[in-house]
Amino acid sequence: MELLNIKKVYFVGIGGIGMSALARYFAKRGCMVCGYDKTQTSLTRALEEEGIHIIYTDDIAQIPDDFNAINSEILIVYTPAIPKDSKVLNFFRDKGFSIKKRSEVLGIISRGMFCIAVAGTHGKTTTSSMIAHILTHTGYGCTAFLGGIATNYNSNVLYGKNNVLVVEADEYDRSFLTLHPDIAVVTSMDADHLDIYGDATHLQESFHLFVGQIKEDGKLFVREGLPLHGITYSSGSQSALRAVNIRVVNGVFIFDFEDGFTTIKDITLSMPGRHNVENATAAIGVALSLGIKPTLIKKAVAHFKGVKRRFETIIKTEKQVYIDDYAHHPEEIRACLDAVRQLYPEKKLTAIFQPHLFTRTRDFADDFAKVLSTVDDLILLDIYPARELPIEGITAEMLLNKITVESKQICGKNLVAGLIKNKKPELILTIGAGDIDTLVEPLKETLNNA
């Protein structure tokens, strides 16, 4: 299917962060865009305000007449998160429509474009957002599809006037193998999605396949220590790109960049944590490879406000600090907690964690328990199932029993705000990739009125 031929697009699962970015993109192109999702959220409401028609009932009678008959101008996009028995999805399948995954559509869009793809089990959303921001802020320009809402633009899609595309390359279900990038970044390759890959070896094989699809004269930036051959980057090691002299001044991370040719001193980064300093190092390396001036890059990094739900500070006063983060893998949680401790070493940390997926909780239960045992006070929510059915014996209680911190408890999501009102914590962190984000506003209100 050719991009220029697409005039009407229907999204089955339009509320996902990646799907909604594509919906906005096609609407911007002037296409008729409609969609289905099972739940109305702030993101779907924003899409509706932008003129996109969305239904919330799995009912084929509500599908617009424009999508009732096969037409070469119609594209149907679906997410694997949609159940296989979805009536809306099966309506399009039974009719014989051209149905594509989000990743396949990104492959269609990226054809003929200069593609910068960021892959990794952690860090890809922040790194791709940093790259897109640097290119936009410096005037270089790009179109970008992001896995989160970039705070600077309050959007997950950017529209450029040039031929450059920045995209988050998702390893889930081997989706990133639809891309053939000119520049690729690999941030991490920790074991994850074992429900798809079975073991870490098959996950790594998939990353090797992705790297093998880089164009012949392309570049690969890879975090130091990963089993890939490319331009390495890290914080404070002997890698090709280095972040050195890292320090925290008034709650802000400052570092120097070196690559043996270029030195950029005193770079200010508002996103805390050494892992984010490394993400910035990769983004700077990409920008330099495109010929962008170091002085412009430094200013762009200083103006980067982060990504919503990636170490997002909700409240920051003398009495209370509240941070919300998307971390849902043990390594992500560890990096998040390290950043919190670096910024607030003297404060007692209360963490609210919502496990995401039964399989991930099962596969990494001991690792979750180890890292969560390092907080001072833990509130554990029930497992968010997403696309999965329950697994016998895999519960929040099972995980809680493995956690060694003395102050710990399980709490229903609807009771958390009341519990926090009584605890009055000085430092609170919500972490998880499910629907824990629906607690952010209630907790903010509770803490502000405490």
Side-chain angles (χ1 to χ4, degrees):
M1 178 171 278
E2 296 297 324
L3 183 62
L4 293 176
N5 294 338
I6 300 170
K7 305 299 180 185
K8 301 175 184 178
V9 192
Y10 197 96
F11 290 86
V12 186
I14 196 170
I17 193 71
M19 293 281 278
S20 60
L22 282 176
R24 283 171 160 154
Y25 171 80
F26 280 107
K28 180 77 171 180
R29 289 182 62 89
C31 297
M32 177 183 181
V33 178
C34 301
Y36 156 76
D37 212 291
K38 65 178 180 179
T39 307
Q40 188 179 50
T41 64
S42 58
L43 187 49
T44 60
R45 283 191 289 271
L47 294 179
E48 289 178 293
E49 290 170 3
E50 293 164 23
I52 295 174
H53 175 69
I54 301 174
I55 63 172
Y56 298 97
T57 304
D58 193 17
D59 179 9
I60 63 175
Q62 295 188 45
I63 298 173
D65 292 341
D66 297 85
F67 296 92
N68 277 336
I70 293 178
N71 187 308
S72 60
E73 297 181 342
I74 295 177
L75 171 65
I76 310 298
V77 190
Y78 81 102
T79 170
I82 290 292
K84 293 180 180 179
D85 61 353
S86 164
K87 294 176 183 176
V88 171
L89 179 60
N90 284 309
F91 167 81
F92 292 118
R93 279 184 172 153
D94 294 343
K95 287 273 188 176
F97 277 89
S98 173
I99 304 177
K100 304 287 186 183
K101 291 182 183 179
R102 167 185 169 268
S103 56
E104 293 176 297
V105 178
L106 287 176
I108 293 172
I109 294 171
S110 66
R111 278 186 214 145
M113 297 188 77
F114 185 93
C115 180
I116 303 169
V118 182
T121 46
H122 333 296
K124 57 182 175 288
T125 297
T126 299
T127 305
S128 57
S129 298
M130 284 181 176
I131 293 170
H133 170 72
I134 292 172
L135 269 56
T136 301
H137 190 274
T138 59
Y140 188 93
C142 69
T143 295
F145 294 99
L146 308 173
I149 303 297
T151 304
N152 291 79
Y153 312 98
N154 195 34
S155 181
N156 51 354
V157 60
L158 303 181
Y159 309 101
K161 296 180 180 179
N162 60 7
N163 198 39
V164 178
L165 175 69
V166 178
V167 62
E168 181 173 321
D170 191 1
E171 76 281 356
Y172 176 75
D173 201 21
R174 299 174 176 85
S175 293
F176 54 8
L177 298 184
T178 62
L179 300 169
H180 293 81
D182 296 88
I183 296 176
V185 181
V186 178
T187 62
S188 53
M189 292 167 56
D190 292 304
D192 199 7
H193 305 302
L194 298 186
D195 55 321
I196 298 294
Y197 289 102
D199 56 43
T201 300
H202 286 94
L203 175 71
Q204 291 194 0
E205 287 176 357
S206 191
F207 273 94
H208 281 281
L209 289 172
F210 167 69
V211 167
Q213 296 190 166
I214 298 173
K215 291 175 185 173
E216 188 175 347
D217 57 347
K219 290 185 175 70
L220 169 63
F221 294 85
V222 55
R223 186 173 176 269
E224 179 76 28
L226 297 183
L228 297 171
H229 297 292
I231 302 168
T232 57
Y233 68 90
S234 68
S235 58
S237 79
Q238 299 303 310
S239 54
L241 312 182
R242 302 175 296 281
V244 298
N245 194 22
I246 302 169
R247 63 266 193 206
V248 179
V249 180
N250 297 325
V252 175
F253 274 67
I254 300 175
F255 66 99
D256 302 338
F257 172 92
E258 297 177 353
D259 66 0
F261 303 96
T262 303
T263 298
I264 308 176
K265 294 278 191 181
D266 303 325
I267 301 168
T268 300
L269 179 67
S270 61
M271 290 193 75
R274 292 184 76 93
H275 62 298
N276 283 321
V277 171
E278 292 189 331
N279 292 336
T281 301
I284 292 168
V286 170
L288 287 172
S289 76
L290 296 173
I292 301 175
K293 293 181 179 179
T295 53
L296 297 179
I297 294 172
K298 181 179 177 179
K299 289 179 182 177
V301 174
H303 282 86
F304 181 63
K305 297 179 181 178
V307 182
K308 291 186 182 299
R309 297 225 64 226
R310 268 65 175 186
F311 211 93
E312 183 180 7
T313 299
I314 308 299
I315 296 175
K316 185 178 181 181
T317 66
E318 289 185 7
K319 291 184 178 180
Q320 288 181 323
V321 176
Y322 172 25
I323 297 165
D324 179 48
D325 195 88
Y326 188 71
H328 55 282
H329 183 281
E331 289 304 316
E332 293 172 340
I333 296 172
R334 182 173 290 107
C336 178
L337 295 180
D338 285 346
V340 171
R341 295 299 193 190
Q342 284 177 283
L343 289 175
Y344 307 105
E346 305 299 324
K347 292 185 181 292
K348 178 183 176 182
L349 173 59
T350 296
I352 304 172
F353 175 55
Q354 182 186 50
H356 184 259
L357 300 179
F358 295 103
T359 53
R360 184 179 283 124
T361 305
R362 176 197 64 197
D363 295 338
F364 302 108
D366 291 339
D367 295 324
F368 277 122
K370 185 176 181 180
V371 68
L372 291 171
S373 294
T374 64
V375 306
D376 300 303
D377 180 23
L378 177 68
I379 299 170
L380 190 63
L381 306 184
D382 287 327
I383 298 171
Y384 184 80
R387 56 188 177 269
E388 296 184 339
L389 295 174
I391 298 174
E392 186 176 354
I394 307 303
T395 62
E397 288 83 359
M398 176 277 294
L399 182 56
L400 190 77
N401 290 335
K402 290 176 175 286
I403 295 167
T404 59
V405 64
E406 186 173 334
S407 180
K408 61 179 182 177
Q409 67 184 104
I410 293 175
C411 183
K413 192 156 68 75
N414 60 324
L415 302 176
V416 170
L419 181 61
I420 292 300
K421 183 178 181 180
N422 293 328
K423 282 180 176 284
K424 298 179 180 177
E426 58 178 349
L427 175 59
I428 182 172
L429 173 67
T430 45
I431 39 180
D435 61 358
I436 191 172
D437 61 314
T438 61
L439 287 178
V440 172
E441 286 302 320
L443 286 176
K444 180 181 179 181
E445 184 177 351
T446 296
L447 292 168
N448 281 334
N449 295 324

